[in-house]
Each structure stands twice: as C-alpha cells, then as structure tokens.
Amino acid sequence: MKAIQFKEYGGPDVLEKADVDRPIPEQGEVLVKVTAIGVNYADTARRQGAYVIPTPLPFIPGAEVSGVVEKVGEGVDKFQEGDRVVTLIGSGGYAEYVTVDARTLIPLPDELEDESAVAIPLQGLTAYHLLKTMGRIEQGETVLIHAAAGGVGSLAVQLAKHFGAGQVIATASTAEKLALAQDLGADHLVNYTNPNWREEVMEATDGKGVDIALEMAGGNVFHETIKCMRSFGRVVIYGVASGQPAEMYPSGLMNRNLSVIGFFLPQIMKKPALLESSLQELLQLVQQGKLKLTIGGVYDLEDAAHVHELLQGRKTKGKLILKP
C-alpha cells in the first residue's frame, strides 16, 4: 500500500512516498480503508524529533483517520465490513490502510462527511479538555485563545462560548483569520503580530486580565500571556509551535495565585469513560449544528510535505486534511 514516512528527523523534505505492507488485523482489531487523514502540529513535531514522547525511525505519522471498515479481526462483534468510522491512533495514519483497536472506533452518522469527521477526534477533544478538564472553565469567565483560526483554536472559540464564557478574546496573525474567529463567536480580536498585543488584551478586559488562556506557541508568547492573567488564572499549555521553549520561574506565579497546566491528549485517552463521554458530546454538538467544523484544505497524500510547510508557516486556517 501507499504511505508517507520519514527515515530521519528534519524539515518537510524528509517526508517521502513509500510502498509498505498492508497491515493485517489481529485479535480485537479491524482493518480500516482510510478516506481522510487529519494533519496536526503533533505530526510536524514527530517529524522534527521534538515530540513529547520518542519517535522511532522509520516512522509513518498520522494519528487521526476516518474511513471504512475493510476487514474485521477475531473477537470483534460491534463492527462489520462497510461501517464508516473515525478514530485516533498512535501513528501510521498517512497511509491507505491502518489497523485499529476496535475499542477506539467511533461509528459515523450518515449525515457527517469523512472530511468533517476527522476534525473531531484530536482537535475537538483537545479543545474540549483544554477548556473543561484542564482549564476548569466557569460561567462568565474570560478566555484568551491563541491561534484562534487554527484547527484547535477555531473549535475552542465555539466551545468556550458553549461552556458559558462571558468573553472570548481571539488572537491570530492576519485580518482574514481574525474574521473567521469573529464569525465563530469571538468577542474581541487581537493580531498577535502587533508588538503591543498584550496591551490590547488588557484593554479588552478593562485591565483585569483573563481567567483562562490556551497557549501553544511558547517563547515570548508564553511570557506575555502570563502577564495577561488575572488572579487565580489558568494558563493551559498544549504545544510549542514556535520551536522556542519558554523558561518559567515558578515563584512568579505566587502573587496572583496563577496556575500553569500542561495538556497531552494521550493521557485523556487512558480514561475511557472521560474520553467516550466527551466525544459523544462533541458529536452531538456537530449534529445539532452548534459546533462548526472549519476545513482549511483537502490535499492528496503525496502533498504531505507541502501541507507541513503551510501549517508551520502559519499560512492556514481550520483543519487540514490529506486523502489517499
């Protein structure tokens, strides 16, 4: 089967087309014919050898796929050939076929397209748990969402409002991206390429600061975000897209009772009850038309290197998708 892999860490150019053996489903697994693949910052971190956990070589990236059940392994009785599904996997998604633990499969309703469905598992669950589980959002609180036009950010804007945020402040790098965030429900728009963006956030809150901030850039953005927080504020960290880790002095959090919280979705996946309930809630919101899935572009699998360039160049908005 066709796949995209890398044999060394590096830039987008290390991604290469490969012919690999089609996997065979074992006990409790199914073989899925992939129809859509979600592209995420985690894929670029894997490629650079900078992911939270080690990335073995050679490696086929891709943790988010939708498709059709092609073959069922022994011991699987909840799915059959032809079922449309979406799932999260550890790796191997940039391919025509993947084997998946049947317990992680989510059946897709007829009205939800494969391309839209693949935006839900990783980025939808990330946005959900950033706000609710880690950020502990409360009614009327003010939320600052960086990269608000991206895959996670565009969903987080909507979910923050759904969870009762009194004010959502969205940052992005262009007027077009800020317009998208506004259409999704953001109350205040801030271009973070403006060196005075922190002052704009403070003005929007009458100098009080924000209760929750979702931060994935790192570097100076992290430090400026800390300065935007009000007492008892929570900064939830879920990435270092700038490639510049930020140094932090814990004693600096004390005078305002601030919390800096790390988030890694695979830890949520180890709690099946929490994972299933949140995923079902997200699917219901999509079906009810209360959560809009923004597709930023659909590309051929062979264009994976180009898509990585676009993603890391901050030239995209919404969810990026590959198709075999």
Side-chain angles (χ1 to χ4, degrees):
M1 68 173 184
K2 179 175 64 176
I4 298 294
Q5 67 177 15
F6 55 88
K7 297 179 180 178
E8 60 180 319
Y9 305 126
D13 59 307
V14 302
L15 294 172
E16 59 183 23
K17 181 180 176 181
D19 289 319
V20 299
D21 293 335
R22 182 186 299 185
I24 299 173
E26 298 181 353
Q27 177 80 22
E29 293 183 335
V30 302
L31 178 68
V32 175
K33 180 178 174 60
V34 177
T35 55
I37 306 155
V39 180
N40 300 285
Y41 272 108
D43 301 342
T44 67
R46 286 282 204 183
R47 192 199 71 232
Q48 294 170 308
Y51 194 53
V52 178
I53 58 177
T55 300
L57 298 174
F59 189 81
I60 299 175
E64 197 176 32
V65 299
S66 61
V68 179
V69 174
E70 179 86 0
K71 187 175 181 180
V72 177
E74 293 184 9
V76 177
D77 54 14
K78 291 185 178 181
F79 294 93
Q80 58 186 3
E81 294 179 12
D83 286 347
R84 296 177 58 243
V85 294
V86 66
T87 188
L88 282 176
I89 54 180
S91 62
Y94 286 21
E96 293 181 291
Y97 294 88
V98 294
T99 49
V100 180
D101 185 331
R103 294 173 298 180
T104 69
L105 288 176
I106 306 146
L108 289 181
D110 293 338
E111 61 270 22
L112 190 59
E113 297 179 352
D114 294 2
E115 290 83 358
S116 297
V118 84
I120 299 175
L122 196 152
Q123 294 179 332
L125 286 170
T126 294
Y128 181 103
H129 290 289
L130 286 173
L131 290 162
K132 199 165 189 177
T133 306
M134 311 308 297
R136 307 183 307 280
I137 187 170
E138 295 183 5
Q139 194 76 22
E141 289 193 316
T142 298
V143 182
L144 172 62
I145 300 173
H146 289 303
V152 173
S154 61
L155 296 173
V157 168
Q158 299 172 77
L159 288 172
K161 299 296 285 189
H162 176 72
F163 293 148
Q167 189 178 37
V168 172
I169 302 174
T171 79
S173 59
T174 68
E176 182 183 11
K177 291 181 179 182
L178 289 171
L180 172 61
Q182 185 175 41
D183 288 343
L184 295 174
D187 301 294
H188 292 278
L189 310 174
V190 176
N191 189 320
Y192 64 74
T193 64
N194 180 347
N196 298 317
W197 68 262
R198 178 172 62 85
E199 284 78 2
E200 293 184 42
V201 172
M202 296 305 293
E203 288 178 11
T205 62
D206 296 324
K208 297 176 182 177
V210 304
D211 298 289
I212 301 171
L214 308 186
E215 208 286 285
M216 45 69 72
N220 190 57
V221 173
F222 169 80
H223 292 296
E224 292 296 287
T225 299
I226 288 288
K227 297 175 184 177
C228 293
M229 307 307 297
R230 69 172 63 184
S231 296
F232 296 95
R234 290 88 71 197
V235 182
V236 189
I237 307 297
Y238 68 104
V240 190
S242 69
Q244 302 173 355
E247 292 184 356
M248 185 182 73
Y249 299 94
S251 59
L253 307 175
M254 294 169 58
N255 65 333
R256 283 176 289 156
N257 286 21
L258 300 182
S259 300
V260 175
I261 306 161
F263 176 81
F264 188 45
L265 184 60
Q267 295 297 339
I268 298 293
M269 294 169 64
K270 294 178 181 179
K271 296 181 176 292
L274 181 61
L275 181 68
E276 184 175 351
S277 62
S278 56
L279 197 47
Q280 289 300 326
E281 185 174 348
L282 287 169
L283 283 170
Q284 289 175 4
L285 290 173
V286 172
Q287 288 179 271
Q288 294 167 359
K290 297 179 180 179
L291 185 63
K292 180 181 178 181
L293 302 173
T294 304
I295 306 302
V298 180
Y299 303 83
D300 290 338
L301 179 58
E302 295 180 11
D303 293 329
H306 174 60
V307 174
H308 276 218
E309 289 177 355
L310 293 175
L311 184 62
Q312 290 189 284
R314 310 288 178 84
K315 299 176 181 179
T316 64
K317 58 183 179 180
K319 185 69 179 179
L320 300 182
I321 294 169
L322 297 173
K323 291 184 72 70

